[in-house]
Amino acid sequence: MTAGLPGTGIGGMFYLMSALATPLREAYLRVRGRRSRGWGMVATQTAIAGAILAGVWATGWLLGLALSASRSVIPAVATLHPGNLLPAVALLFSVGTLAAVLLGVEVLRLWIRRRPDRETSIKRYQGRRAVAAGGRRRRIVLLVLGAVVTAHARPAAAQSGNLTTGHLGRADSAFTAGDTRAAAQEYAAVLAADPWNSHATYRLAQLHRHDPRLALRLFRRYVALEPSDPWGYMALAEMLARAGRFSAALRCYDDALRLAPDERDAVVGRARTLARARRAGAAIAVYEGWLTAHPTDAEVRRELAAARVAAAPAIMPLVGGSRDSDGNATLRLGGAAELGASGPTRLGVRATREQIRDGGTAIGLDELTLRAAALPRGTLQVDLEGGATRVDAIGGARATLIPTGQLRARWRDPVGGPAIDLRARRNVIDASPLLVTNRVVRTEIGAIVELPVARGLKLRGIGRTAALSSSFDVNHRTTFAGVAAVALTPILEVSGQIHEIRYSRPSSAGYFAPRLVQIAQAGSYIELETARSIVLAFDLGVGVQRVAARQGAAVGPWRHALRLYSLIAVPLAPGRELRFELDSDDSGVATEVATESATTAQWRYVSMQVSLRVALP
């Protein structure tokens, strides 16, 4: 190197030439449509190289001025050139030296054979790093000049290698020790210094599986960095399936199978995704294909049996009833049947016979409903019911056939964003003989919109409007509610709720129709599954309410408002499940069941239903 001139050594000149060549390389990659690192780094490295060149030139110019000024004090041995050639001579000398070194390196490469890197899977070999922390590195053994070139002749992007290696080592240690918070911080530091580090990208995506949006972005980044690693496609497919984007997940599994056709996790993962998408026929075919070649795989055999049960036809006998504070009691007997389905649509039929009594009067009604449940996309679910309810003749009135039905469409953003639940229904109010005798029918439409505003915090807006027709009049009810819900754990959600219900007019058809009802409740929802696959769900609300009973009347005092819903599902055997549901209310009109069934503001009720689902062979 040239003493006294910064940046003019062999390593420095190699850096300058590499930095000045980055705009040409970036333009070439863009024209060819290849992956590039962006113009931000190019501009930064070019600016640094320009500053170094300016410093070198300024240093040579100042040295030339100093030598010229010293001629008056110290006699010169030789006559200097009248111009200041020192900066140019210094640069030319350094460039010439560098050219000689590089030429020697290229000549020596003719006798040295480079060994290709071996890529390993991250998920298959957890103890080894699948991708080197900065990409593939060339191994060139040099006899004389190799040490000098290796120490100084590296691209500008590798200047922070020691820092990256330190963060990566600490991140891997924390990941192995189970310290996810420290590991996430260290992997983020690695990516801040080296955005193209595929190992850190994969690990950080694994650590953020609870955040589907971020995890999907990181797994996509890893696939772009390592397009030849099938495990990257499988990890991305798993996240997509969890988000309900089944078509995109299946495409990723297909990419993984092209790279590793016999990989078990790719085959089984694709079958599981098909089963979750309710494409049971396709899932069964994939499972059977794998078992043909691997008949001893017990786990796949169990999953195949579960897929066959899900696709098989089933029957569901049920018995239920209710009782309220006015002495009304109901008893419901019936059953449902589901047809076999290999696609995303399931068809069925339901028939029930119900008897309603109040101590002195009894009336019955029969209901027949055709049902369809479809999952056209993983983010959209549609449930449709249509049929009729026949009300028995009583008091000289003839039997009546009333069309009934329900439509529900639910859409949810695949990465934890907003959700919309739309409902429309028409049904007979059957809480008391008086309501059935007066043919009270509810026709209602409503919507629930959910918006996430922070991690774990969601806001829900609820709006419904209903027309209540009877033998005497037609009434209208509107409901508005706001809910702020916080998910404390994956199984526990707490919420604060405010409801307001209004009726357009009083009614003599047998239900309580106040001018205004206001309800404020704190609620909690718990859903968990035990090791034996028993599902327990509880929805509890505790709060207060106040009522303006008559049109034009003032709102009354606050009183307690309680509600409880619970579901217990117990698997008895493969294809057999016992379900128990309990619904109770002590708030007058706080729940959907109680809204048109209540007779006073202090009305209370409890209902139960037991059903058994049996899959047919």
Side-chain angles (χ1 to χ4, degrees), residues 313-569:
I315 58 173
M316 184 185 300
L318 61 88
V319 57
S322 66
R323 187 173 184 85
D324 63 18
S325 57
D326 294 335
N328 300 304
T330 66
L331 176 63
R332 183 184 302 108
L333 299 174
E338 295 179 352
L339 304 180
S342 59
T345 302
R346 187 103 182 174
L347 301 177
V349 62
R350 172 174 169 156
T352 59
R353 170 67 180 177
E354 186 174 7
Q355 194 78 14
I356 304 101
R357 299 178 179 273
D358 64 358
T361 306
I363 191 172
L365 51 85
D366 303 299
E367 183 178 6
L368 179 65
T369 302
L370 300 178
R371 313 170 72 183
L375 194 70
R377 293 188 299 172
T379 57
L380 177 64
Q381 182 174 347
V382 179
D383 297 304
L384 177 64
E385 297 182 4
T389 300
R390 178 186 176 275
V391 180
D392 290 348
I394 186 173
R398 295 182 301 174
T400 306
L401 191 64
I402 302 173
T404 56
Q406 177 174 292
L407 172 64
R408 183 180 184 185
R410 287 168 285 180
W411 176 86
R412 178 174 293 277
D413 183 77
V415 289
I420 301 176
D421 188 340
L422 303 177
R423 303 185 187 185
R425 62 175 174 172
R426 188 172 194 267
N427 66 305
V428 177
I429 308 300
D430 56 357
S432 68
L434 181 60
L435 290 170
V436 177
T437 301
N438 293 333
R439 308 302 194 261
V440 179
V441 177
R442 171 174 52 199
T443 304
E444 182 182 53
I445 59 173
I448 302 175
V449 179
E450 180 179 276
L451 296 174
V453 295
R455 181 176 178 181
L457 174 62
K458 299 178 181 179
L459 299 181
R460 299 188 185 106
I462 303 173
R464 299 190 185 96
T465 180
L468 305 171
S469 61
S470 68
S471 303
F472 301 98
D473 55 24
V474 176
N475 204 352
H476 292 86
R477 171 180 54 82
T478 57
T479 303
F480 296 98
V483 181
V486 179
L488 300 181
T489 68
I491 65 171
L492 174 61
E493 177 185 275
V494 297
S495 63
Q497 308 177 18
I498 298 177
H499 300 253
E500 183 172 290
I501 304 171
R502 293 180 179 270
Y503 286 84
S504 62
R505 54 179 295 176
S507 176
S508 57
Y511 60 88
F512 182 47
R515 177 181 67 85
L516 174 66
V517 181
Q518 293 178 333
I519 305 167
Q521 284 186 332
S524 65
Y525 180 77
I526 303 173
E527 182 175 346
L528 56 91
E529 184 175 356
T530 68
R532 295 183 54 194
S533 299
I534 299 175
V535 177
L536 306 173
F538 301 94
D539 189 359
L540 173 67
V542 179
V544 293
Q545 74 169 15
R546 60 181 183 176
V547 178
R550 297 184 304 275
Q551 300 294 324
V555 180
W558 292 99
R559 62 176 298 272
H560 68 273
L562 307 175
R563 60 176 174 81
L564 171 65
Y565 172 79
S566 63
L567 167 67
I568 302 175

Side-chain angles (χ1 to χ4, degrees), residues 109 129 197 232 242 245-246 289 297 323 361 368 466 471 526 606-607:
R109 286 180 60 189
R129 290 163 52 184
N197 192 299
R242 288 177 56 186
R245 301 174 63 177
F246 301 125
D297 195 326
R323 187 173 184 85
T361 306
L368 179 65
S471 303
I526 303 173
V606 60
S607 68

Side-chain angles (χ1 to χ4, degrees), residues 52-62 84 87-88 91:
I52 293 175
L53 287 175
V56 171
W57 186 270
T59 302
W61 181 72
L62 291 174
N84 192 349
L91 290 175

